Amino acid sequence: MRKQIAAANWKMNLTLKEGEALLDAISAKPHTLLANQEAIFAVPFPYISMAQAKVGAKTNVFVAAQNCSDKASGAYTGEVSVTMLQSMCVKYVVIGHSERREYFNENNELLAQKVNICLENKTTPIFCCGEPLEIRESATQNEYVAKQLTESLFHLSEESIAHVVIAYEPIWAIGTGKTASSEQAQEMHAFIRSHIASKFGQTIADAISILYGGSVKSANAVEIFSQPDVDGGLVGGASLIADEFVAIINALKK
Ligand code: PEP
């Protein structure tokens, strides 16, 4: 059974105290995670230890990083390596978020290297893909997303790709309040799965979790997550509000 995931992306928000208060408030609210479900908190690097202490022994709850270096170690001031993250027991890293692609010029080739270094260090990349508005308007989103997947993931072995989580995040829906309809999400997720299957086979494609991201909130999570190829969400804005994120966790497919 595929893993269903509610992943919070705090981005560059919250002070340490606010982050602590948010995790405490989420813990205090009733939420259930079945055996195949996970809640993940992608927090800023300096908050990783705090967040790990807060989620502590909770089953199926993990702390993630929002990025990592493509280099193993060395003179790269300001960078954080996967080895460092692994030494802190970080299990997931968000790779290729559209904000990193846009503001930090991360391209498919660099992201392939980041995926590699994550997998070499037994850390699961949550690999983000998704098209800008002009591509959606020209109805070429499938080709655009296929290129992102092909150029960053298709060099992997069958064994390695099985350890990747994919997040489809249409850029026009991120932080805009404009969500893809559940039909649009399902259509793209099914396409992503078929594209993965074309290279790695259906069995592997069927086992990969594909998350939707783009203005997910409590009001739309149940409908979006109920789509057959949607395995949860990567959530920005709504993950900063305890009631919202708890409702999103509880919206995961049963
Ligand atoms: C994101 O940060 O990945 C995201 C989808 O943000 P939002 O939920 O705010 O659109």
Side-chain angles (χ1 to χ4, degrees), residues 49-246:
S49 292
M50 173 281 285
Q52 286 177 324
K54 289 281 175 200
V55 307
K58 287 197 176 62
T59 312
N60 293 359
V61 183
F62 299 98
V63 174
Q66 298 175 13
N67 179 34
C68 68
S69 174
D70 58 309
K71 307 286 192 303
S73 66
Y76 301 102
T77 303
E79 288 290 270
V80 173
S81 73
V82 185
T83 322
M84 291 171 185
L85 296 170
Q86 196 202 21
S87 74
M88 298 179 72
C89 303
V90 172
K91 202 180 146 192
Y92 290 100
V93 182
V94 178
I95 295 292
H97 191 282
S98 62
E99 288 151 14
R100 296 217 55 90
R101 290 175 185 264
E102 185 179 349
Y103 307 136
F104 301 94
N105 300 319
E106 296 195 357
N107 58 28
N108 295 342
E109 194 185 355
L110 174 87
L111 296 173
Q113 289 166 29
K114 291 194 178 194
V115 166
N116 288 348
I117 205 156
C118 283
L119 294 169
E120 281 159 18
N121 286 282
K122 307 214 173 320
T123 304
T124 300
I126 301 177
F127 178 79
C128 301
C129 57
E131 79 286 357
L133 185 59
E134 64 272 19
I135 294 291
R136 173 62 63 166
E137 285 175 347
S138 66
T140 52
Q141 65 271 14
N142 287 5
E143 292 81 350
Y144 188 93
V145 170
K147 189 169 189 300
Q148 291 178 319
L149 297 170
T150 305
E151 292 185 357
S152 297
L153 300 180
F154 273 26
H155 62 285
L156 296 174
S157 65
E158 289 181 5
E159 201 204 326
S160 293
I161 188 83
H163 295 286
V164 175
V165 169
I166 294 173
Y168 167 62
E169 301 205 304
I171 297 171
W172 46 272
I174 297 178
T176 58
K178 206 171 166 183
T179 321
S181 67
S182 49
E183 291 79 18
Q184 283 173 320
Q186 169 55 27
E187 205 172 70
M188 178 56 86
H189 282 227
F191 171 74
I192 290 171
R193 209 177 293 289
S194 71
H195 190 60
I196 296 287
S198 71
K199 167 77 178 170
F200 299 99
Q202 197 62 48
T203 309
I204 286 174
D206 282 343
I208 290 182
S209 299
I210 308 177
L211 316 184
Y212 169 79
S215 299
V216 172
K217 43 189 180 287
S218 58
N220 57 28
V222 172
E223 194 190 332
I224 295 173
F225 295 174
S226 70
Q227 298 302 310
D229 285 291
V230 178
D231 305 308
L234 179 56
V235 187
S239 75
L240 301 173
I241 303 162
D243 282 332
E244 278 291 302
F245 194 61
V246 165

